[in-house]
Amino acid sequence: MVSIQMSDPCFRRATTVCFLLHAAICSFASAPLVSEVFSPEIKTVTLRNPDNFMAPPVIRLDSDDRLILSFDILGDSHDYLRYRLIHCNHDWQPSMLLESEYIDGFNEATVDDYAYSTNTFTHYVNYRITIPGSGLAPLTSGNYLLQVYPEENADSVLLQQRFSVSENAVAINGMVTSNTDRGFNTEWQQVALDIDFSGMADIDPYRDLKVTVTQNNRQSTRRTITTPIRVEGNHAIFDHNKDLIFNAGNEYRRFETVKADSPGMHVDSVAFSDGRREAFLTIDLPRADLPYAYDRTQQGRFMVDEYNSTDPDLGADYVDVSFFLDMSRIEGYDVFVGGDLTGDIFDEHNRMVYDPRTGCYTLTLPLKQGSYNYQYLIRRINSAGPADPSPIEGDFHETGNEYLVEVFYSPPGTRADRLIGTSLLE
């Protein structure tokens, strides 16, 4: 066994680098840290509970819960990658904790779980990271950002993904209703919450709690509430709050490319050209002025699948999927395709182009075979604000949405927010 002394120059150098990196992140971060992919060669990024496809990326502290980050890098050879974790507060700004306070071991691990695609026209390497794993395990609750980078360049982040670790120290009871403070059975849904904090001592619910609510994992919908409307014993009540009123939205649209050589759900036709599989979706129409139609969807998620493969992560091929939205040009606005398939990011890669010859907005995305949810959103040209699905998709109170509730504990004088409870409301 090799013993490392704190006086060892290498140890001091590594500690200094980690401290400076943490200080730099804390000093320069102003916008919240978000899940994002920085390399165009990285595709199909998911971070999920392997035992529950519909569960949010949250694990319980000191439990057997696991999350698996999966992603592909296009090409024929594997890359040497590492990853680290950054502890964040409720607002996704880095906390003031040192790495030794929130990580068991060194905050660096090798990505050594990878495999090559099999029998696919598009070659790729699939990588998997298990959290906790590889001697890198969170020690405290809160929000975390997982960053993946090349082994030889820690400053070049290839991708980063959000997840959370919860203590489950409080009970969260809640309901979603269309009887809102803005109207009854119209275009809104309202969330009401009852936080039972009887398991925690010395808590001041008017001062120490921060509650966040997010609809369908769309970060632009995330609301933060800091003051309950009232406290009844050990219960903090959050209701009749205008910040907990959400646009009801509409059910996600769906398509399937499980069989690449024949049209699946909502696929008009398929083709093969220049070594690439292609799928042309059935032309879509705006739905804001149409009657509501119930559909059981995956709330924006997608699932990789290939009908003849025992391991779709390796056997599913990439398909160039073309979207068509038949509507007049919306002057002054961009139109995007959204959902987990685009990572809730809106930029050039998922911005649609208007074709005046056909009167359609069009977009082609390379997507791994599977079943997908998607929607159409608009945003003012050159705006950095959120994209809005309502003008195209409409808002209907009957829509089945998910609301992720997270309760953070941050009394005065603490250097980090603890995540003391989570719940998924429908």
Side-chain angles (χ1 to χ4, degrees):
M1 178 181 297
V2 178
S3 175
I4 300 178
Q5 303 297 323
M6 294 189 65
S7 58
D8 187 292
C10 293
F11 180 86
R12 290 200 309 270
R13 189 180 305 114
T15 303
T16 301
V17 169
C18 291
F19 177 80
L20 291 176
L21 175 62
H22 183 270
I25 292 172
C26 293
S27 298
F28 293 106
S30 54
L33 297 172
V34 299
S35 296
E36 195 166 358
V37 176
F38 303 102
S39 169
E41 301 304 311
I42 294 180
K43 306 292 183 184
T44 318
V45 180
T46 61
L47 180 59
R48 292 178 181 153
N49 183 325
D51 300 319
N52 186 351
F53 169 74
M54 298 294 285
V58 180
I59 56 177
R60 294 169 296 173
L61 187 65
D62 299 325
S63 74
D64 293 330
D65 291 352
R66 293 291 183 270
L67 294 174
I68 294 180
L69 172 66
S70 173
F71 60 94
D72 297 338
I73 298 184
L74 303 183
D76 294 306
S77 59
H78 90 275
D79 297 325
Y80 294 95
L81 305 175
R82 294 183 180 273
Y83 68 97
R84 60 177 170 245
L85 302 180
I86 298 174
H87 188 270
C88 299
N89 287 322
H90 76 282
D91 56 359
W92 288 101
Q93 295 286 351
S95 73
M96 295 304 296
L97 295 182
L98 298 176
E99 291 181 344
S100 59
E101 296 178 282
Y102 66 84
I103 291 295
D104 181 13
F106 289 107
N107 192 9
E108 181 181 62
T110 302
V111 183
D112 51 15
D113 185 354
Y114 63 89
Y116 295 88
S117 60
T118 57
N119 300 319
T120 59
F121 288 99
T122 299
H123 296 175
Y124 59 87
V125 182
N126 177 255
Y127 298 82
R128 297 179 185 178
I129 297 173
T130 301
I131 298 294
S134 301
L136 202 162
L139 290 176
T140 186
S141 67
N143 287 332
Y144 284 83
L145 191 76
L146 187 158
Q147 293 186 323
V148 179
Y149 54 91
E151 185 177 62
E152 72 282 358
N153 187 357
D155 295 328
S156 179
V157 177
L158 300 175
L159 70 91
Q160 57 189 29
Q161 292 290 298
R162 290 175 169 184
F163 72 95
S164 300
V165 178
S166 175
E167 298 177 23
N168 280 19
V170 297
I172 302 172
N173 298 302
M175 62 178 296
V176 180
T177 177
S178 59
N179 183 7
T180 77
D181 293 340
R182 292 187 181 178
F184 176 71
N185 286 356
T186 55
E187 68 266 35
W188 312 102
Q189 291 178 350
Q190 187 159 359
V191 175
L193 300 171
D194 177 344
I195 312 298
D196 180 358
F197 56 90
S198 56
M200 299 191 64
D202 302 324
I203 188 171
D204 182 346
Y206 289 106
R207 179 195 64 187
D208 301 340
L209 296 182
K210 294 181 175 67
V211 179
T212 66
V213 182
T214 307
Q215 182 192 67
N216 296 337
N217 197 37
R218 289 180 53 225
Q219 294 309 307
S220 61
T221 69
R222 195 169 190 261
R223 314 287 175 80
T224 301
I225 313 299
T226 58
T227 306
I229 192 169
R230 66 184 184 278
V231 175
E232 300 175 355
N234 291 322
H235 293 255
I237 309 300
F238 297 81
D239 61 7
H240 296 289
N241 188 312
K242 63 180 178 62
D243 290 328
L244 292 180
I245 301 175
F246 295 78
N247 287 74
N250 202 345
E251 308 294 349
Y252 280 85
R253 303 172 191 254
R254 296 190 291 159
F255 72 88
E256 289 186 354
T257 54
V258 177
K259 295 185 68 173
D261 55 356
S262 63
M265 175 191 298
H266 201 61
V267 176
D268 179 74
S269 61
V270 297
F272 182 79
S273 176
D274 296 326
R276 301 284 299 183
R277 297 187 182 276
E278 299 176 294
F280 303 91
L281 300 189
T282 302
I283 295 175
D284 288 317
L285 297 171
R287 300 187 294 173
D289 296 326
L290 299 178
Y292 168 79
Y294 171 79
D295 192 12
R296 182 66 174 175
T297 72
Q298 300 164 180
Q299 309 299 355
R301 299 174 178 88
F302 67 87
M303 176 180 289
V304 173
D305 195 11
E306 204 280 333
Y307 82 105
N308 201 33
S309 176
T310 57
D311 187 353
D313 280 343
L314 304 179
D317 212 338
Y318 276 83
V319 179
D320 291 334
V321 179
S322 294
F323 299 79
F324 304 92
L325 176 61
D326 185 358
M327 64 178 292
S328 301
R329 185 197 297 268
I330 306 178
E331 297 296 337
Y333 288 84
D334 286 324
V335 178
F336 298 89
V337 174
D340 280 8
L341 79 169
T342 62
D344 200 33
I345 298 293
F346 302 95
D347 56 24
E348 288 304 306
H349 94 281
N350 61 331
R351 183 178 66 86
M352 305 189 79
V353 176
Y354 187 74
D355 184 349
R357 298 173 303 169
T358 62
C360 287
Y361 282 92
T362 66
L363 174 70
T364 299
L365 290 174
L367 299 173
K368 208 169 183 178
Q369 285 179 265
S371 57
Y372 285 81
N373 282 191
Y374 69 103
Q375 60 183 186
Y376 295 108
L377 306 92
I378 71 169
R379 185 174 67 185
R380 188 175 294 277
I381 292 175
N382 297 325
S383 170
D388 183 8
S390 296
I392 298 177
E393 304 294 359
D395 290 293
F396 302 91
H397 69 88
E398 303 97 331
T399 302
N401 292 306
E402 290 180 345
Y403 294 88
L404 176 62
V405 181
E406 298 175 292
V407 180
F408 294 87
Y409 178 55
S410 51
T414 57
R415 294 182 294 115
D417 297 340
R418 291 165 51 191
L419 178 56
I420 58 175
T422 64
S423 181
L424 194 64
L425 306 179
E426 297 180 347

